[in-house]
Amino acid sequence: MGLPSLASLSPAAGRGVWHADELGSADAQVIGTGHAALDAQLPGGGWPVGAMSELLQAAPEDHVWRLLLPALVQSVAARGGPVVLIGPPREPFGASLAAHGLRPEALMWVRSEAAAARLWACEQALRCAEVGAVLAWLPQARVGELRRLQLAAAQHEALLFVCRPESVAQSASPARLRLRITRCEADPAQIELHILKRRGPPLAAPVLLPARGERMAALLAAARLRRKLRAQQQGVVAVEAVVDAPPAANVVRIDAWKMGGANALDRLAVVA
């Protein structure tokens, strides 16, 4: 006796069948990424809540904040708790985050170089109902350890992002969603998001996003214009050069921001 075909199923049963050549719908809550082009390619139109989203890249922090900030701001507003950062490679720049809506006092930074300690801290943070989201850098995590985090995120309906090196792209992963982030070779002002795993067909072309937000792009354009005008006023022939790196900025410690907000805002003015 052969297996029943899809055509023999009732219409109600057929509606619950996901076809692999179609973008799947979300089976749980999602939070919009804040990037319309990316939302259009994700099941349910956003980051899955109660599941792991894995971000792979060559440099451990490149473009992570640009990609995740809109969702982190939404999550903090919805749950009221902090974003827990576990093992970030650099100290967050509080003034810049605040300018995009994420208050530095809404961040909790867990420092540890030990892989086991990072995993433990990540699992404990996922169990806290008040935590808005968990963003962890776990370059040495194994598949079994990631599966535990995936289960913890599902049990407590937490928003979980795990950053890992680009070199593990061919390795198995329990993540619901998996993206590789690279700089666009054709246009350095853009970043490419390669969706390696989703509930849907493979994505033929990467999703392109601006490497910087509108505010930062405007600041850099204004800075280039000021340099050009200054050179012209001094009688110097300005040589146009493409400068991709932002001007040097002071790092504002999170605890320093809490003690005196005025100083942090002043430093933001210096950056601008």
Side-chain angles (χ1 to χ4, degrees):
M1 182 177 179
L3 295 174
S5 66
L6 289 178
S8 67
L9 297 175
S10 67
R15 286 194 293 270
V17 176
W18 167 59
H19 299 269
D21 60 347
E22 299 176 352
L23 184 62
S25 59
D27 53 6
Q29 179 187 357
V30 300
I31 288 184
T33 67
H35 312 286
L38 180 57
D39 284 343
Q41 301 299 334
L42 299 183
W47 301 114
V49 177
M52 179 193 305
S53 297
E54 191 175 4
L55 309 176
L56 310 181
Q57 50 192 347
E61 201 178 22
D62 282 356
H63 310 301
V64 167
W65 291 109
R66 169 78 182 110
L67 179 62
L68 299 184
L69 259 175
L72 297 179
V73 171
Q74 291 181 66
S75 185
V76 169
R79 302 188 68 155
V83 173
V84 179
L85 309 177
I86 299 174
R90 302 184 189 90
E91 185 169 2
F93 182 32
S96 178
L97 298 182
H100 289 84
L102 185 62
R103 298 171 290 106
E105 56 266 30
L107 299 178
M108 180 181 294
W109 183 4
V110 178
R111 292 185 180 184
S112 178
E113 295 299 327
R118 290 189 185 190
L119 287 166
W120 180 87
C122 190
E123 193 167 355
Q124 299 307 309
L126 290 171
R127 292 177 176 175
C128 295
E130 295 81 7
V131 167
V134 177
L135 174 54
W137 282 260
L138 306 174
Q140 301 170 342
R142 297 189 290 265
V143 174
E145 295 166 335
L146 293 175
R147 189 172 292 113
R148 282 177 51 191
L149 297 181
Q150 164 69 20
L151 291 174
Q155 290 172 357
H156 301 280
E157 298 183 348
L159 189 62
L160 170 62
F161 300 100
V162 172
C163 300
R164 301 182 71 205
E166 192 178 38
S167 58
V168 303
Q170 300 302 320
S171 303
S173 171
R176 177 80 59 83
L177 182 64
R178 210 175 192 207
L179 279 69
R180 181 165 60 90
I181 310 169
T182 62
R183 179 181 288 272
C184 180
E185 295 292 338
D187 183 3
Q190 303 263 8
I191 58 174
E192 295 181 348
L193 303 178
H194 302 261
I195 302 179
L196 306 181
K197 183 180 179 181
R198 64 173 179 172
R199 192 178 183 187
L203 192 63
V207 177
L208 295 178
L209 294 181
R212 302 185 182 93
E214 295 181 1
R215 177 184 173 86
M216 179 59 73
L219 290 175
L220 294 178
R224 286 195 294 269
L225 179 59
R226 285 197 297 269
R227 287 195 298 271
K228 182 176 180 180
L229 292 175
R230 190 180 304 117
Q232 291 175 346
Q233 291 172 355
Q234 294 173 351
V236 177
V237 177
V239 178
E240 268 312 310
V242 177
V243 181
D244 290 325
N250 294 322
V251 173
V252 180
R253 295 185 59 84
I254 295 174
D255 53 356
W257 176 283
K258 291 182 181 179
M259 295 298 293
N263 292 334
L265 292 175
D266 290 341
R267 294 190 183 187
L268 178 60
V270 171
V271 176

